[in-house]
Structures are given as structure tokens and as C-alpha cells.
Amino acid sequence: MIKNQLSLYVFVSVLFVVGAIFGALMVNALTLEQQQELAQDVDQYVQLMNEGIGSGEAHSFWERFFFHSKWLLVLWLLGITVVGIPGVLALNFLKGALVGFSVGTLINQYAWKGVLFSLVSIAPQNIIAVPAMIITSAAAISFSLFVIKNRLLRQTGELAPQLGSFTSTAMLMLILFAGAALFEAYISPTLIGWVSPLLSSANATI
């Protein structure tokens, strides 16, 4: 399946990367006042993590898991509606823009230390979540194209096996999203706690 859908994976991945670049560039498009407000929010978050203040691992896990699940559910619904292909593409671009904007904000404020903070706070869970999203998106587009070509135009082919395959893929990706949520809830806070004092000392010297 992966081999047959290689072009879809490449296309969706490129769209995500373009979104990430766009998001990173958007940081420089903000006004000085907006950048200052954003910097204050980031500083407050770093201070909280430096003090070890959080909402609790279990609460954080379910919060992040439901967040990822919503993305997955929307992608699945867009896929079965057939006309939702533009929405699937838009969500991948948006996800890339959000990741790029987050990384760009940290680098803009903390320079090379922002890169280090991004590696422990943004990159780990997205290494799992982004491929899961790309696979689900490719499966959604593939299912929509199958319906258009074989059901709407030719009236051939069985819909149930294709729908079952698409849904099974989405359920498997849900497991990966759960893994990303686990990492984000139980491991990322520890990594961030190691790095946040470095950022706090950087602010103290500014």
C-alpha cells in the first residue's frame, strides 16, 4: 500500500514542509508589539517548566490524546466525504505552519538555545505525530480518489473493502497518536525541565 501511494506521501509531506516554512517566516511578519507579547508568553511557560509546575502527567496525556484524536477524526470525515480532499491538504499545511511558527518563535527569541529547546519540546512528539498524520491524509485522499474514479464515474469496484482499509489505517494511526501523547505527557516535561534553566539564564543576561 505504501509503495502504491508513494506519490501521495511525497506530495503531502512536501505540503507539510511548505507549511512549516511559511509558519517560520510568519514570525518575522509580526509587529514588534506582537513579538513582545509572544515572547512574554513563552517566558512564562519556560518559567513554569523551570519551577516544575504542570497539570499532571495523566491529565496532560488525555488532553494531548484528545487533541490528536480530533485531527484524526477530521481527516477521516474529510476522506469519507470525498469532496474533503482540499480540507485534508489544508490541514496538513496548517499543521506544518503551526510547527514552523512554534520553532520560529523559539529561535527568534533564544537563538541557538531556541533550537535546543525546540528539539526537546516540539520535535520528539511530532516525529511520531506528523508521520501518522501524513499516512492518514494519504489514505484519506486515496479513498476519496477511489470513490471518485470507481464509484462516481465508472460504477465499479466494491466500496466496503476500501472503506475498511481506510478506517483500519486511521485506527492504527490512532495508536501512534497515543504514543505521541504519552511522550508529550511523561517524557517531554523532563527534557524541558533540563533545558528551561538554560533559557532562564539567557533571559537574565539580556
Side-chain angles (χ1 to χ4, degrees):
M1 181 186 67
I2 294 178
K3 183 178 180 180
N4 294 334
Q5 297 180 353
L6 180 61
S7 59
L8 287 178
Y9 289 117
V10 172
F11 178 73
V12 175
S13 299
V14 169
L15 188 63
F16 172 85
V17 172
V18 172
I21 296 173
F22 176 80
L25 294 177
M26 280 296 296
V27 176
N28 295 325
L30 298 176
T31 64
L32 180 60
E33 182 179 355
Q34 290 173 326
Q35 291 184 9
Q36 290 175 343
E37 292 178 354
L38 191 60
Q40 291 176 357
D41 292 337
V42 174
D43 287 339
Q44 291 177 358
Y45 174 76
V46 170
Q47 185 63 30
L48 290 174
M49 296 305 300
N50 192 29
E51 296 174 357
I53 300 176
S55 57
E57 289 85 354
H59 179 271
S60 179
F61 165 75
W62 288 111
E63 182 182 20
R64 300 310 301 169
F65 178 69
F66 285 134
F67 173 79
H68 293 310
S69 298
K70 291 175 184 178
W71 280 85
L72 183 66
L73 179 60
V74 172
L75 288 172
W76 185 81
L77 290 174
L78 289 173
I80 64 174
T81 58
V82 180
V83 294
I85 293 179
V88 173
L89 300 178
L91 281 179
N92 281 269
F93 181 86
L94 177 60
K95 179 65 174 179
L98 291 174
V99 173
F101 185 83
S102 300
V103 174
T105 299
L106 292 174
I107 295 177
N108 184 60
Q109 184 171 352
Y110 298 110
W112 69 268
K113 294 180 180 179
V115 177
L116 179 60
F117 192 68
S118 298
L119 291 176
V120 300
S121 63
I122 299 175
Q125 59 268 20
N126 280 297
I127 290 177
I128 303 174
V130 170
M133 182 175 180
I134 291 175
I135 292 173
T136 305
S137 300
I141 296 173
S142 178
F143 176 76
S144 296
L145 293 177
F146 171 83
V147 174
I148 293 174
K149 292 179 181 179
N150 296 281
R151 299 297 297 174
L152 298 181
L153 299 180
R154 301 177 184 175
Q155 297 295 321
T156 60
E158 296 183 5
L159 183 61
Q162 296 296 325
L163 178 60
S165 177
F166 172 39
T167 303
S168 298
T169 300
M171 294 303 295
L172 287 175
M173 294 307 104
L174 183 62
I175 297 176
L176 290 184
F177 279 129
L182 279 171
F183 196 100
E184 197 168 357
Y186 290 92
I187 300 179
S188 289
T190 302
L191 299 178
I192 294 173
W194 292 342
V195 177
S196 56
L198 182 64
L199 302 186
S200 298
S201 62
N203 285 337
T205 59
I206 295 177

